[in-house]
Amino acid sequence: MAEIKLHGFWYSPFTLRVVWTLNLKGIPYENIEEDRFNKSPQLLEYNPVHKKTPVLVHDGKPICESMIIVEYIDQIWPQNSLLPADPYDRAQARFWVKYIDDMFLAITAHFRTSGGEERVKARENIWEQLKVVEDQCLDDQKKFYGGDTINIVDIALGSFVNFIKVQDRFEVKILQTERFPRLHLWFNKFKDVPVIKENTPNQEKLVAFLIPLIEKIKASS
């Protein structure tokens, strides 16, 4: 069997996408936990451009960027396919993955605001984007974006919502149930899928870890 290694951070929503994908497809792999402040020489060699995680190493060949990795895995191991077979549906799925990836930029902007009116505007911007996703991607008639089974959009959105829920523990909630009822309904179904549930970090553990990490990142920026 091919040798598969994953370099990542256990708390990262981007690493989590790859972890979910590998486990949904039943692919064994070696997990290599990286240190954000002391990255391994192997990681820097495998990703010399961005020097970031996650990096999947397949038979000695590195693949970088979380959703590129997810697509690569889906093409190499087609069981439990995550990308639609129809070219148009596949293009639409990739559009929404890109839209969700861009939403992480809005979260970063919100995180970096000093507070007050600036923080309120950043939060409203996130709400606008979440409303677009809820209206355009989530259908009351479908369990997931991909229908009855999880697909690539669910993987991308699931990592984002899981990250938001952790952030909501620190301040005013962004993901309010009354504001985004379909998003909450979808996420409750998503997180209860056994493979997702078994491979998602505990929320309390995440919060306890992230509080000092956030302070350390702020201090070093």
Side-chain angles (χ1 to χ4, degrees):
M1 180 176 285
E3 183 182 60
I4 304 165
K5 298 180 180 180
L6 174 61
H7 292 254
F9 306 134
W10 69 269
Y11 52 86
S12 165
F14 304 107
T15 298
L16 191 56
R17 293 168 165 183
V18 183
V19 169
W20 284 340
T21 300
L22 288 167
N23 282 280
L24 280 167
K25 289 177 174 286
I27 302 168
Y29 65 98
E30 179 185 351
N31 183 69
I32 300 173
E33 185 66 26
E34 291 285 347
D35 182 342
R36 176 181 291 275
F37 301 99
N38 185 26
K39 295 170 183 173
S40 70
Q42 291 83 7
L43 174 65
L44 301 179
E45 176 187 347
Y46 289 140
N47 191 356
V49 178
H50 297 301
K51 301 177 175 62
K52 293 181 178 180
T53 63
V55 174
L56 184 81
V57 184
H58 180 206
D59 278 347
K61 296 180 290 187
I63 304 97
C64 307
E65 300 295 327
S66 63
M67 296 314 296
I68 293 175
I69 295 171
V70 169
E71 284 209 35
Y72 176 85
I73 293 170
D74 199 49
Q75 291 173 14
I76 299 295
W77 295 276
Q79 69 270 23
N80 302 324
S81 180
L82 298 175
L83 272 167
D86 179 78
Y88 176 78
D89 292 340
R90 194 181 311 135
Q92 290 299 302
R94 285 174 172 148
F95 172 87
W96 288 113
V97 166
K98 176 64 168 60
Y99 188 90
I100 293 162
D101 271 352
D102 289 343
M103 287 168 61
F104 275 101
L105 299 176
I107 283 293
T108 301
H110 179 265
F111 173 71
R112 289 178 175 171
T113 57
S114 57
E117 186 177 345
E118 186 183 11
R119 178 64 59 89
V120 171
K121 286 182 179 179
R123 188 181 306 126
E124 289 175 349
N125 181 42
I126 298 169
W127 281 341
E128 288 177 9
Q129 294 179 352
L130 284 171
K131 184 62 175 173
V132 170
V133 170
E134 181 168 83
D135 289 345
Q136 299 295 325
C137 293
L138 304 180
D139 187 336
D140 290 336
Q141 306 303 314
K142 294 193 301 183
K143 187 175 182 180
F144 303 114
Y145 179 90
D148 291 331
T149 58
I150 289 172
N151 87 346
I152 196 168
V153 177
D154 298 296
I155 293 290
L157 184 58
S159 68
F160 180 82
V161 173
N162 190 67
F163 183 69
I164 286 289
K165 281 189 165 290
V166 173
Q167 300 298 307
D168 282 351
R169 302 288 292 273
F170 298 118
E171 54 178 291
V172 176
K173 288 185 68 174
I174 292 175
L175 200 63
Q176 299 170 1
T177 305
E178 64 278 9
R179 189 181 289 270
F180 304 107
R182 287 202 303 278
L183 193 56
H184 271 271
L185 182 62
W186 166 85
F187 186 67
N188 285 336
K189 294 175 182 176
F190 176 82
K191 69 182 180 65
D192 284 341
V193 172
V195 171
I196 301 298
K197 190 172 186 177
E198 291 164 10
N199 293 282
T200 300
N202 176 271
Q203 290 274 313
E204 297 299 330
K205 181 182 176 182
L206 268 175
V207 171
F209 178 82
L210 285 174
I211 290 175
L213 177 64
I214 288 171
E215 293 304 318
K216 191 172 182 180
I217 293 172
K218 284 181 176 180
S220 63
S221 61

